[in-house]
Amino acid sequence: MATRRVPLVLLACGSFNPITNQHMRLFELARDHMHSTGQYQVVGGIVSPVGDSYGKQGLVLAKHRVAMAELALQSSNWVTVDEWESQQPDWTETVVTMSCALCFLAI
């Protein structure tokens, strides 16, 4: 009898200033590892760029970082960009972003 794998969504929060090949590779490595355990089935991935209020020196405007991430991930059939965090007027705790990412998945 086959055991049921737990569905799992990978989430990466950060400035993505800019998004790089290594950011995208991170998802592939994490998915491969989680699948190799035999316990999880990765069903999606989300990139969540921080908002403009993050305060990092040299931070490009969120709308541009979101656009760059969307372009970088346009060929992915399982990783997407959630711009909710980037649109918040204040810095957002990761746990709040995680809750909103779950809402994003339900859409």
Side-chain angles (χ1 to χ4, degrees), residues 72-88:
L73 294 166
Q74 68 185 356
S75 65
S76 177
N77 63 359
W78 69 281
V79 182
T80 189
V81 180
D82 181 1
E83 60 186 71
W84 179 86
E85 183 181 4
S86 71
Q87 296 173 344
Q88 301 312 299

Side-chain angles (χ1 to χ4, degrees), residues 1-45:
M1 181 170 112
T3 59
R4 180 162 148 48
R5 292 181 176 214
V6 176
L8 185 67
V9 175
L10 303 175
L11 171 66
C13 300
S15 61
F16 301 101
N17 192 47
I19 193 166
T20 66
N21 288 334
Q22 278 306 107
H23 287 123
M24 295 181 291
R25 182 73 180 126
L26 173 80
F27 280 94
E28 301 292 336
L29 292 170
R31 180 178 66 172
D32 291 349
H33 173 72
M34 297 311 290
H35 285 177
S36 75
T37 69
Q39 298 176 12
Y40 303 98
Q41 177 65 39
V42 175
V43 296

Side-chain angles (χ1 to χ4, degrees), residues 50-100:
V50 298
D52 293 331
S53 64
Y54 184 62
K56 180 178 180 178
Q57 188 173 359
L59 191 64
V60 173
L61 289 175
K63 67 180 182 179
H64 298 304
R65 291 181 285 110
V66 167
M68 285 187 283
E70 288 173 340
L71 283 170
L73 294 166
Q74 68 185 356
S75 65
S76 177
N77 63 359
W78 69 281
V79 182
T80 189
V81 180
D82 181 1
E83 60 186 71
W84 179 86
E85 183 181 4
S86 71
Q87 296 173 344
Q88 301 312 299
D90 298 313
W91 173 79
T92 307
E93 292 181 350
T94 301
V95 68
V96 174
T97 300
M98 289 172 68
S99 296
C100 291

